[in-house]
Structures are given as structure tokens and as C-alpha cells.
Amino acid sequence: MTLTYPLEAAHSSTLDEAMALVGGKAANLGVMIRELALPVPPGFVITTATCREFLADGWPAGLDTELHERMAEVEAKVGRRFGDPSDPLLVSVRSGAPVSMPGMMDTILDLGLNEATTIGLARASGSREFARACRERFEASFRSIVAVEEVPDDPWQQLRFAIEAVFRSWNSDRAVAYRRRERIPDNLGTAVTVQTMVFGNRGPMSATGVVFTRNPATGEPGLYGDVLFEAQGEDVVAGTHETESILVLDERLPDIAAELRQNADRLERHHADLCDIEFTIEAGRLWLLQVRVGKRSPQAALRIALDMAEDPSFPLTREQAVRRVLPLLPHPPTVATLRGHPGQPIVVGLPASPGTASGPIVTNPEAAVESAERGSPSILVRAETSPEDVHGMAKAAGILTSKGGLASHAAVVARGWGIPAIVGAGSVEVRDGEVVVGERILRAGEALTIDGSTGRVFLGLVAGSTEVVPEAATLRQWADALGIAIGEETPQAEPAANRSVTREACLRAIAVKGFAPLEGLADAVVANHEAVRPIADQLVADGLVAETAGAYKLTDVGKVRAGELLQAERQAWGPEASAAALDAFLDLDQRMKDTVTAWQMRDDETLNDHLDADYDRAVLDRLGSLHDDVTGWLTPLESADPRLADYRVRLGRAIRKAQGGDHRYVASPRVDSYHGVWFELHEDLIQLAGRTREEEVAGGRA
């Protein structure tokens, strides 16, 4: 098995296959080198299969030999040698998963420095200060990431330790939490890209930055992003430095700005989509370090699709545009605005992710999780966020940071998850348990309202209103003209569950789902929106449910009532019978996991690109066979607990849609998919058995 490839190697027939083998970063760099001839620093990649082998059995045999071969190829291209004390080749070591996980895994820059090579770098660059700064940065990050007290002198040993650390970071808590939120399979592994260092901190003609080809928050055309002069790449996304708008390049380095725009346009047209580009300028020369299809807010997704398809020179048809945003069209995203006159904002920052959110202040991610679990999603206020914060960010109603720019970690993650966010609010000081704005001290628990569309922050709870984004109407008209079904506006109840919706059913559904938008709640109780909305509104009025960020969550009082309903249901069924039902479910659950994995992966190394109709049909047949067995198992239980009939109805609806050609209904989180319903059924059975998912996971049963 080949363990490594040069970045320019044509090792796969499709981009999806390349991403599965060498990760998204290296696959896209290969396209930039081979097909577009863009300026990319030379390097090589270690495959995802090598990562999986390392995590299972340790350092693979033959990897050392291939590393020396690949490094020799890079040395020949750049005219410098790795470890050479006179003019050293330094490298970056970066992760690269098949599915984008921004900032979730580890990166080490300036690798290859020791006492001798630092002297050589100082001589070659003409700056002892520059060489010393690179050495200090390298050793600090190496100690932190590799978890050693002393950095080895041998550059080859440094390289091995760094590669091992990146491989291990695939299973870090932050990466696992991100995959759980994004429903990314755990068995993909990460590639490792080793690339020639280029230095954005090499004098006033040097810089580093991140640029989007369009505004990922609103979809507005034009370059959008941050640049930081005399800095290295991690400084931009970490949010620890004050960045400048990408537009300042037009003033300071106009020729570079023009080259960057030209390259960005080529990349956007090649991918026919919004692109997220990392770049470095070294002593007046532009280098591109990464490109990927950019994460965008739902609002931006619709505008970008519409604008691209309406541009006759752009390679995106109306049909492609509609299909790209099809999951958003049954329930289009809304734009949230504040109602009335909210008064003067206490601070204004950079509008990083659109929408409004209100909630109590928390200053650490653990408090954000606790607040959400109490039924009161919070405003997470941080100096800046890091990958270590993602578990709290996922539970927050909104995010506010005092540092960072529009391409910082907080901004990118919040946009990808549709969470309102403001960054770079410089007059905000975050302390432990309190926030200082000017002379005002705000304690944790006090309420804030943020407007991620304008960057304004207000004291207290400010009422808002929403309206559907205007692009949705046009895209729906296109879908209708093209004969593309966009799903049901209001899922209809089916005869097997043809009963009136009750408050109790809604409370139990929210307890199982945890956080339920109106359409998700209607799906869960097998009813339409019109039937569910007045019940949900009354639950809010009664203080049992809170509505935050467009979704329903149990309050503390609601949790008590839902717990009473659960206990009564459990007693009526019988604790022993409910425990036995969960035990009997486990064999079916393993079959379900195997089937969903087969839907997502062709084998251990290859993502399923869904271009092989026969393969997909075989997996859907497996899902259909499983469904027959689940129906046979579940139906007798309904006499003891009639509410379980809802799951049978929902699973039946999902399998029919999936086998009818709408493959979102296999596992997409955007619809009431088979996998999504299955997860809720499992959670419900766990609760009815008097257990917790944490206990089931610890026991190897979930």
C-alpha cells in the first residue's frame, strides 16, 4: 500500500475519491497545482488509510522510507535541504480530513528548526529577529501539541512526532464533539499534509490571510475576509490578533490584491461555488495554501445559488442551483431583525453570522452546555473561541467575542452552524463569570441580545421578528418550472397515528429531541405545523417550553413535567418490559449502524459519491430488509405503549421516500430521515428503560 503521495500526484479519478484518500486539503491543492497552475508551496501528503493503520496498530512499516523519498522530491523543487544548517528547508505539518473540520485538529508550523538551522535561517533571511521568532513559535506549538517538555534536535524526529500528534488529534475531544454535531463518520481518519513553509512574518511586504470569494454570512458578491501583516496563518483563525479587512491589500500591495482576485475568481468558477482560500504573502510573492468550498449561512446559501445561476458567464445552471439548496427550500431560512427601537447598543462589533439571539451571559463553554440543558440557551461571550470550545458553541443561542476577525474560528464555525455571532467587539473585556463593557460590569446570568447581521449588542431581552429570505421564492419557482419536488410543506399524519396532538406528546417529543424547530416537532408527533404551532405557543406561555433561535427547548419546569410523563409511561408499560425492549433493540441498532456506514463509505478508504446506482440500490435494499424486521419487532410493543406507533409511521415514511429516490431520507439531518428517526427511537427507549445515553456508551451499547 502506498502511504504517501506528492501533492501534484494524480492518484484518483474523481475529486471525491481523492478527498477520501488524501483529505480535502491535499486533494484541492492537487487540483490547484495540476489543473490551474496556481502558486502552491511544494509538499506531500500522508494518506487517511495510513492514519487509520497508525491508530489501530502504531507507526506503519515503510512510512519512514517513503517520508525520506517524498522529502527529497520537495528538496529538489525548492533548492533547500531539510535539516541543512546553512539554508534549511522548513515545513508545516497540517491535518486534512475527507470532510472539512475547520480548526478541529492540530497544525505545527516552522518544523525543522534547532540551534544550527536557526542560525542558518537568520543568515539566509538576513534577520536574526525573524529566525528567533520562528523558533520560539515552533517550539511553543510543538511542546503544546506533541505534549513533550523538550523539543528533539533531530528534524526527522520532530517530523515523526508531529505526524503522530496530528493522527492522534483525530480522536481529540474537540474533533469528536464536532463530528457528533456534524454527523461525520468516526472511521474516516485524517491525512497529513507536509508542505514547504512560506513566511507571512518576513517583513512589511509579507502577510497572511483568509478570504472568501463572497460574503459567507449574507451571500453578497465580492471578496470578504481578513489579512494580517507580518504574521503567520494561525494568527488569523485563532482570533488572537487584530486583523484588517482584505480590502487594505488594494492600498498596501495593489499588485498582490489584483493577483489574489484573479486567482479567487478562477477557483470559484472551477468549483462553481463559494470558496474559502488561505493565503500567505512572503516578501511580495503570493502563495495559496488551501482552498475548500466555504461554509455559509443558510441565508447566504440561497443568495449565492441564485446569483451564480443568474450570471450567464458562471458555470452553474438553474437546476444545479436548485438541487444545491434543495434541503433548505421546504422550510426556507429566515432573516431575524429586532422589532421597534431597542435603544442604543452597548457595543458594536463585526457582524460575523446573521440573525438575532437573546439569552443569559455565560463566559465558558461548560456553562453554555449547562444553560442549554436547563432550557435557557445562552450568549457565549469569550475573548476568542478555539476548537476546545465547540461543545459549548454548539449549545449556545449566540456567540460574542472581543477579538478576532471575519475569518476567525468563532466566525467560521458560527456561520457553518447557523448561530448568530459577533466578533471583534474590542471594548468588551471577558473575565471569569463577568463581562466588562466600558464602566459597566455584567454578571454571568444577565441577559444580552445580539444582532449578528449588524454587529450590535443590547442589554436585556429584545423582541425580534423574522421573514423568509426573498431568494427562496425565486428558487422555489425555478424548482416548480423544472419539475423538481421540494418536499411537503406540512407532513401529513398517517392512519396508523391518526389521533389529535396533545400537549403531553409535544413535551415528550421535545424531551427526546432536546432542541426542536417547529417542523421537527411536527414531524416527531406525526402532524402538520398548523396543528402543532398553537400547542407549542401555549406551552411557551405556560412556562414549560422556551423558544430560542427558532426552536423549542424545555424549561426547568418543563423538564420536571416531562420527567413525570416519562415515569408514568414507564410504569404503565412496566420497567422490566421497557428494559427488555431496549436490550432487544441493540442487535437491530448494530445492523442500522452498519447500513448507514455502507451508505456513507464504499469501503474503509472510499467515500460513497452516490454515482454507482447499483451500489446505492443494494444498500437501500439492506435498509428495506432492516425496516421489515423493525416493523415486526415494533408493532407488538405499540399495544403496551401506543406512542411508539409514531416511530413506525415516521420510519415507514422515510424508507418510502428514500427508496423512491429522495436519498436525503436515508441520513440527512435536514429532513426527518430514517437515521434521524432511528436515533430518536433509541434515545426514547433509553429513557423509558431508566438509563442514560452516557451509561449506554460507557457499556458499549450505544
Side-chain angles (χ1 to χ4, degrees):
M1 180 178 75
T2 301
L3 305 175
T4 66
Y5 291 95
L7 286 179
E8 66 272 17
H11 41 65
S12 304
S13 60
T14 69
L15 184 59
D16 283 342
E17 289 177 353
M19 287 183 171
L21 179 64
V22 300
K25 182 183 280 91
N28 284 320
L29 288 173
V31 170
M32 293 162 72
I33 297 169
R34 291 190 311 273
E35 301 178 31
L36 301 176
L38 294 175
V40 173
F44 60 90
V45 61
I46 307 166
T47 68
T48 57
T50 308
C51 172
R52 294 193 293 273
E53 183 177 344
F54 170 82
L55 294 176
D57 301 314
W59 189 260
L63 181 53
D64 287 314
T65 300
E66 288 198 32
L67 289 177
H68 280 79
E69 293 172 353
R70 295 285 88 80
M71 191 68 81
E73 295 166 353
V74 174
E75 290 171 338
K77 291 170 185 169
V78 301
R80 298 195 301 277
R81 289 188 299 113
F82 187 58
D84 181 0
S86 61
D87 187 11
L89 166 64
L90 304 183
V91 297
S92 62
V93 180
R94 300 173 184 266
S95 62
V99 180
S100 176
M101 296 172 56
M104 293 304 112
M105 289 171 291
D106 290 330
T107 292
I108 297 178
L109 304 179
D110 306 318
L111 187 140
L113 285 172
N114 54 28
E115 191 64 33
T117 55
T118 301
I119 294 171
L121 179 63
R123 187 183 303 115
S125 66
S127 172
R128 273 189 261 178
E129 182 181 348
F130 163 71
R132 185 178 65 253
C134 290
R135 174 89 177 274
E136 290 173 353
R137 175 191 290 269
F138 162 62
E139 293 197 340
S141 67
F142 192 94
R143 289 191 181 98
S144 172
I145 290 169
V146 182
V148 295
E149 293 186 7
E150 294 297 325
V151 179
D153 241 10
D154 180 2
W156 288 101
Q157 192 173 9
Q158 294 173 5
L159 180 61
R160 174 164 175 165
F161 283 4
I163 292 167
E164 290 177 337
V166 174
F167 281 157
R168 286 193 297 268
S169 70
W170 174 256
N171 287 328
S172 66
D173 290 344
R174 64 179 184 265
V176 171
Y178 187 91
R179 290 200 297 273
R180 184 174 298 121
R181 166 71 189 243
E182 293 288 290
R183 299 189 180 184
I184 298 170
D186 287 325
N187 60 352
L188 301 181
T190 181
V192 178
T193 300
V194 180
Q195 203 168 8
T196 303
M197 277 297 304
V198 289
F199 299 96
N201 56 337
R202 200 165 179 169
M205 295 282 286
S206 300
T208 187
V210 177
V211 65
F212 295 84
T213 52
R214 301 178 188 231
N215 187 320
T218 66
E220 182 179 359
L223 291 189
Y224 174 98
D226 298 321
V227 64
L228 192 59
F229 285 87
E230 297 189 67
Q232 289 195 324
E234 298 304 301
D235 298 332
V236 176
V237 295
T240 53
H241 293 66
E242 186 174 347
T243 60
E244 297 182 81
S245 165
I246 194 67
L247 300 179
V248 303
L249 276 182
D250 291 308
E251 303 170 11
R252 295 187 57 169
L253 297 171
D255 290 343
I256 293 292
E259 184 183 358
L260 180 61
R261 279 195 172 83
Q262 181 183 40
N263 291 343
D265 182 67
R266 290 182 67 193
L267 285 167
E268 186 180 72
R269 289 176 180 276
H270 178 85
H271 290 280
D273 206 344
L274 168 74
C275 288
D276 170 358
I277 304 165
E278 294 181 20
F279 68 91
T280 285
I281 305 164
E282 182 184 49
R285 182 176 180 181
L286 176 66
W287 295 95
L288 303 184
L289 306 182
Q290 179 169 327
V291 66
R292 57 193 171 202
V293 172
K295 294 185 180 295
R296 78 292 306 271
S297 70
Q299 168 190 349
L302 294 188
R303 176 167 180 183
I304 290 169
L306 182 69
D307 285 352
M308 287 180 174
E310 286 190 324
D311 180 350
S313 72
F314 199 86
L316 189 75
T317 66
R318 287 188 174 188
E319 179 176 356
Q320 290 169 330
V322 168
R323 294 196 182 280
R324 175 175 294 173
V325 297
L326 194 59
L328 297 174
L329 296 181
H331 310 290
T334 57
V335 181
T337 55
L338 299 178
R339 276 205 300 260
H341 302 283
Q344 288 298 312
I346 60 171
V347 67
V348 178
L350 299 174
S353 182
T356 63
S358 299
I361 294 170
V362 299
T363 58
N364 63 72
E366 289 71 28
V369 173
E370 293 170 3
S371 186
E373 290 177 345
R374 291 194 302 269
S376 182
S378 59
I379 304 299
L380 176 60
V381 187
R382 302 284 278 166
E384 68 268 351
T385 66
S386 76
E388 306 295 340
D389 295 333
V390 293
H391 59 297
M393 297 171 72
K395 298 291 186 180
I399 297 167
L400 169 65
T401 69
S402 60
K403 299 179 181 178
L406 298 171
S408 64
H409 176 267
V412 172
V413 173
R415 280 194 296 269
W417 286 351
I419 300 171
I422 298 170
V423 300
S427 60
V428 173
E429 179 186 353
V430 185
R431 301 175 181 172
D432 185 17
E434 64 183 27
V435 175
V436 180
V437 183
E439 298 181 356
R440 180 184 282 115
I441 297 177
L442 305 175
R443 310 288 182 188
E446 292 187 53
L448 280 185
T449 296
I450 66 171
D451 185 345
S453 302
T454 65
R456 297 179 301 165
V457 182
F458 300 92
L459 277 178
L461 303 176
V462 180
S465 60
T466 60
E467 60 181 22
V468 174
V469 296
E471 293 81 6
T474 301
L475 287 159
R476 289 171 68 92
Q477 289 172 1
W478 289 1
D480 184 58
L482 292 163
I484 299 174
I486 60 173
E488 299 169 336
E489 280 295 324
T490 54
Q492 299 299 311
E494 297 187 34
N498 188 15
R499 53 172 174 74
S500 59
V501 182
T502 65
R503 289 162 50 94
E504 290 74 16
C506 289
L507 279 173
R508 285 286 286 117
I510 297 171
V512 170
K513 293 177 78 70
F515 204 61
L518 179 63
E519 60 268 22
L521 181 56
D523 285 334
V525 296
V526 197
N528 57 41
H529 297 181
E530 287 73 16
V532 171
R533 188 187 297 275
I535 297 173
D537 289 345
Q538 189 59 51
L539 290 171
V540 172
D542 292 344
L544 296 169
V545 168
E547 186 176 8
T548 306
Y552 298 106
K553 179 87 174 180
L554 295 179
T555 63
D556 288 345
V557 176
K559 286 182 179 179
V560 171
R561 178 57 182 146
E564 294 170 348
L565 293 171
L566 171 63
Q567 187 61 22
E569 188 176 340
R570 184 166 180 252
Q571 290 299 326
W573 189 2
E576 292 183 0
S578 57
L582 176 59
D583 293 340
F585 177 78
L586 296 180
D587 287 340
L588 295 167
D589 187 50
Q590 186 57 54
R591 288 173 58 190
M592 179 62 183
K593 290 175 180 175
D594 293 343
T595 304
V596 171
T597 298
W599 183 254
Q600 295 167 333
M601 300 288 298
R602 293 290 298 264
D603 53 45
D604 288 344
E605 299 183 12
T606 310
L607 286 170
N608 182 15
D609 57 14
H610 302 292
L611 297 178
D612 185 339
D614 290 338
Y615 177 86
D616 279 1
R617 191 177 303 110
V619 179
L620 289 173
D621 287 345
R622 285 173 58 183
L623 187 62
S625 177
L626 172 62
H627 178 71
D628 291 341
D629 292 343
V630 171
T631 301
W633 167 77
L634 188 56
T635 301
L637 301 181
E638 296 168 14
S639 59
D641 191 342
R643 197 174 52 80
L644 296 177
D646 289 357
Y647 290 108
R648 179 168 55 80
V649 171
R650 293 168 67 195
L651 290 169
R653 180 169 58 197
I655 191 67
R656 286 194 299 276
K657 287 182 176 293
Q659 292 180 332
D662 192 342
H663 292 167
R664 297 175 303 157
Y665 279 86
V666 176
S668 171
R670 296 189 179 276
V671 297
D672 202 35
S673 67
Y674 205 96
H675 181 260
V677 178
W678 188 277
F679 186 89
E680 291 176 27
L681 171 60
H682 193 179
E683 180 65 27
D684 210 339
L685 291 170
I686 289 171
Q687 293 182 14
L688 286 164
R691 302 174 190 167
T692 67
R693 186 167 285 273
E694 289 74 19
E695 292 170 347
E696 293 293 286
V697 170
R701 296 159 52 91

